[in-house]
Amino acid sequence: MNTVSQRVAAQYERHIYPPPLDDLSGKAARDKTERADPKYFSAHLWPEGPPRNNLRILSAGCGTSQAAHVAYNNPECSVTGIDLSEASLAHQKQLAERHGLKNLKLERRDIVEVGASSERYDLIICTGVLHHMERPDEGLRALASALSPRGAIYAMVYASAKRVGVYFLQDMFRRLGVAQDAGGIAFVRKVLQELPAHHYARWFLPGPGVQIEDAELVDIFLHVQDRAYSVQEALDLVSGAGLTFQGWNDNGLYTRDAHIDPASEMWPRLDGLNEQDEWSVVDDFTLHNMRHSFVARHPSDDPPWRISFDGTDWLRYRPVRHPSLTPLGGGKAQRGQFQFTLTPPEQILLQAADGQTSISAIAGKLSEPAAVSERRELARAFFRRMWRLGHLFYRTA
Ligand SMILES: C[S@@+](CC[C@H](N)C(=O)[O-])C[C@H]1O[C@@H](n2cnc3c(N)ncnc32)[C@H](O)[C@@H]1O
């Protein structure tokens, strides 16, 4: 284990984070559903269909609850959780015992060692971990080498846009010799109260009356090792590990559709960009993103998972609603921060998106416009927009 891993392990032994779940059947667990959980997000991970039913899953840097949570939700799958912190693994063991999880294996292991074993995984979940490694590129390469041919990696790394203020404070606390102990934590709390009104780290402060827990405070402001990524850096991290970038966890945060007024002079300029540059521009413009969550796959010349509304393949796609998409009535719907209004024909299209019915069959449910080609064009534009906003996924096969 390198020195950075030792220091990171020591931090998470002492300051256990994230706060552990104590009951995987409870509301807190349901509210904390992993975005990579195949029970809910299989179509997002594998638009062409999962490689098998009994998936082999690795939760790399599993923390206090992730591996047990995924094992509980997917009893037909085998789940391995690895982490540097015995204290975090101990929480996972308690969850395994409480829920009798026979499909969960837990090991104290560094991510860089994963490639050395002969085990291969269909899904590797690595959220909030790579950016705490001395060499995140090496970490992702190790994970890539343990991926089965049709496997998917779901990763989350910090995003630079919103975290910029945190790094000023981390630097400041380091220079001031602030330790990760009770005195240091009390000192940080005082300094946060004195932060200038314009300080970028204010984005990280909770609203009035809400207290950041000690372990979270350490995780944010006193971390021994962390870095953040721009959109381009995140994409380069993926390609540098020999993987192909499949897509964001939430397209809506990266496409211009919900963020830039079509009347803006930015719009025609964006028309001339490739999609990766559009993502960077939107991230630079909105400063929304605190983290980048994405799916990466083995490289392939003709990926069966590529979603495209050019050509005619999209007519066979079967739209799946995002689990958090909620109809509000009156033609309105909401998912997280995004609220939108649907025309009556669009309401019919969304209503019919059940994961089973093809877009071609769904378009057939419209009574107008009269011409089939016009109905299909309306459906194409709608389902393309829903894809760009992250409200729908698509099964391509
Ligand atoms: C912020 S927690 C995230 C936990 C979990 N992935 C989640 O999203 O809830 C980071 C975890 O990564 C672990 N970790 C950091 N570097 C690691 C490494 N090189 N190998 C294995 N685990 C690591 C830490 O011990 C800690 O438990």
Side-chain angles (χ1 to χ4, degrees):
M1 206 188 282
N2 64 41
T3 325
V4 167
S5 287
Q6 284 171 9
R7 296 180 69 214
V8 169
Q11 175 181 320
Y12 285 104
E13 295 288 356
R14 182 167 182 191
H15 301 283
I16 294 167
Y17 187 81
L21 294 168
D22 58 9
D23 177 6
L24 296 171
S25 62
K27 180 173 178 327
R30 276 196 302 283
D31 290 349
K32 235 187 146 271
T33 297
E34 296 295 340
R35 295 291 182 267
D37 189 327
K39 178 175 177 184
Y40 301 102
F41 291 93
S42 171
H44 182 42
L45 297 163
W46 294 284
E48 80 281 22
R52 46 204 263 169
N53 289 330
N54 53 346
L55 297 166
R56 299 158 299 181
I57 302 174
L58 173 69
S59 167
C62 57
T64 52
S65 318
Q66 187 178 70
H69 197 184
V70 173
Y72 176 82
N73 281 348
N74 299 274
E76 69 291 355
C77 301
S78 58
V79 180
T80 303
I82 62 165
D83 203 285
L84 296 173
S85 160
E86 287 286 9
S88 298
L89 290 168
H91 277 287
Q92 305 253 12
K93 282 180 191 142
Q94 278 171 20
L95 287 169
E97 275 159 30
R98 174 171 183 162
H99 295 282
L101 301 176
K102 300 272 181 287
N103 58 338
L104 175 63
K105 194 165 82 181
L106 296 163
E107 289 168 15
R108 182 166 195 248
R109 213 183 329 157
D110 194 313
I111 282 177
V112 289
E113 295 159 15
V114 165
S117 111
S118 59
E119 280 175 88
R120 293 293 171 266
Y121 301 96
D122 306 300
L123 173 61
I124 298 179
I125 306 172
C126 187
T127 53
V129 187
L130 291 168
H131 47 233
H132 296 316
M133 296 184 72
E134 182 179 30
R135 295 273 314 271
D137 56 332
E138 196 180 51
L140 190 56
R141 264 200 303 278
L143 295 179
S145 69
L147 197 61
S148 71
R150 287 200 42 223
I153 296 187
Y154 180 92
M156 179 277 274
V157 293
Y158 288 147
S160 355
K162 217 163 189 174
R163 280 183 72 82
V164 61
V166 165
Y167 294 111
F168 286 118
L169 292 192
Q170 283 189 5
D171 176 69
M172 186 183 90
F173 291 133
R174 215 167 280 134
R175 287 172 196 276
L176 292 171
V178 181
Q180 293 180 333
D181 56 16
I185 291 169
F187 178 78
V188 171
R189 290 196 188 284
K190 288 217 178 74
V191 171
L192 292 180
Q193 284 170 7
E194 295 163 17
L195 266 194
H198 59 265
H199 200 286
Y200 304 140
R202 281 197 170 271
W203 274 328
F204 276 76
L205 305 187
V210 182
Q211 163 107 323
I212 305 181
E213 295 294 323
D214 285 358
E216 187 176 9
L217 199 89
V218 169
D219 203 70
I220 301 174
F221 297 109
L222 297 176
H223 208 291
V224 291
Q225 173 84 13
D226 99 49
R227 59 152 299 177
Y229 291 79
S230 67
V231 164
Q232 191 58 54
E233 287 165 342
L235 297 172
D236 292 345
L237 179 71
V238 171
S239 59
L243 295 163
T244 299
F245 184 83
Q246 175 171 302
W248 301 109
N249 168 50
D250 190 343
N251 283 345
L253 298 172
Y254 296 89
T255 56
R256 71 184 99 162
D257 304 37
H259 308 289
I260 298 176
D261 186 339
S264 158
E265 289 186 17
M266 297 253 276
W267 203 269
R269 285 183 189 253
L270 281 162
D271 282 339
L273 298 189
N274 63 39
E275 63 176 0
Q276 304 202 340
D277 282 329
E278 175 178 345
W279 299 334
S280 288
V281 168
V282 172
D283 188 53
D284 292 343
F285 180 68
T286 61
L287 299 187
H288 264 328
N289 292 317
M290 212 173 276
R291 47 186 82 90
H292 298 306
S293 304
F294 52 82
V295 180
R297 301 278 297 262
H298 263 304
S300 155
D301 287 336
D302 183 18
W305 41 260
R306 181 82 67 206
I307 303 293
S308 167
F309 288 88
D310 299 331
T312 54
D313 284 355
W314 57 271
L315 282 163
R316 292 201 311 270
Y317 294 174
R318 290 170 291 145
V320 182
R321 287 188 229 180
H322 191 292
S324 328
L325 185 61
T326 319
L328 299 176
K332 290 198 182 337
Q334 178 161 15
R335 184 180 65 82
Q337 61 178 297
F338 302 111
Q339 209 188 90
F340 54 102
T341 306
L342 300 159
T343 63
E346 288 173 345
Q347 288 172 44
I348 295 170
L349 296 175
L350 187 61
Q351 186 71 31
D354 58 5
Q356 307 298 325
T357 315
S358 69
I359 293 182
S360 148
I362 292 175
K365 294 181 190 284
L366 294 174
S367 49
E368 53 185 41
V372 171
S373 60
E374 286 177 36
R375 286 205 292 265
R376 286 189 170 178
E377 183 47 33
L378 196 149
R380 191 186 76 85
F382 173 72
F383 285 115
R384 180 176 177 275
R385 181 158 62 91
M386 291 294 106
W387 167 246
R388 287 176 61 82
L389 287 167
H391 301 325
L392 296 179
F393 309 132
Y394 296 93
R395 295 190 201 282
T396 59

